[in-house]
Amino acid sequence: MRILVFFDLPVETSKDRAEYRAFRNFLIKSGFVMMQESVYSKIVLNNTVGEAVKENVRKHCAKSGLVQMLTVTEKQFERMELIVGDIKSNVIDNDNRLVVL
């Protein structure tokens, strides 16, 4: 499963910018990978882990702006259509080498 986080946060004041940076840094430290600006994704093992991750995002999100989350299966994520551009990432973002202990 994947959790996608979409956000549009204000950056007008220094406090807004600080909240934006804190939320973005939280996502990165939590293992989310940037797909494009303000869209991050994370692979989770199952629905239980996914709910814990989503709850953690809820606790750390900014107080203003728009933050949305979507959970999709790997099959659904693989069917995403790339219309324009190409993916530029040196991060391996799939579960091919996932080891469950």
Side-chain angles (χ1 to χ4, degrees), residues 74-90:
E74 280 302 302
K75 250 328 177 208
Q76 292 168 327
F77 187 81
E78 289 171 4
R79 288 190 299 225
M80 184 178 356
E81 183 179 348
L82 182 62
I83 298 173
V84 175
D86 55 339
I87 298 172
K88 297 174 183 170
S89 175
N90 58 358

Side-chain angles (χ1 to χ4, degrees), residues 50-63:
E51 288 302 319
V53 168
K54 290 193 295 188
E55 185 60 34
N56 206 16
V57 171
R58 287 184 195 104
K59 287 179 186 175
H60 290 90
C61 76
K63 304 299 180 232

Side-chain angles (χ1 to χ4, degrees), residues 7-101:
F7 60 93
D8 185 15
L9 302 177
V11 290
E12 294 158 2
T13 67
S14 60
K15 182 181 178 212
D16 289 341
R17 287 188 292 276
E19 281 189 356
Y20 171 87
R21 281 191 307 274
F23 183 62
R24 184 178 176 280
N25 288 337
F26 159 75
L27 290 175
I28 292 168
K29 288 178 183 175
S30 297
F32 282 84
V33 176
M34 184 172 76
M35 293 178 58
Q36 66 183 48
E37 194 169 329
S38 299
V39 179
Y40 287 73
S41 73
K42 179 176 180 164
I43 296 176
V44 293
L45 284 176
N46 55 40
N47 203 25
T48 304
V49 175
E51 288 302 319
V53 168
K54 290 193 295 188
E55 185 60 34
N56 206 16
V57 171
R58 287 184 195 104
K59 287 179 186 175
H60 290 90
C61 76
K63 304 299 180 232
S64 59
L66 176 65
V67 178
Q68 299 170 300
M69 286 187 286
L70 175 66
T71 304
V72 295
T73 65
E74 280 302 302
K75 250 328 177 208
Q76 292 168 327
F77 187 81
E78 289 171 4
R79 288 190 299 225
M80 184 178 356
E81 183 179 348
L82 182 62
I83 298 173
V84 175
D86 55 339
I87 298 172
K88 297 174 183 170
S89 175
N90 58 358
V91 176
I92 299 171
D93 189 26
N94 59 42
D95 61 354
N96 290 345
R97 297 189 58 180
L98 180 66
V99 177
V100 180
L101 301 175

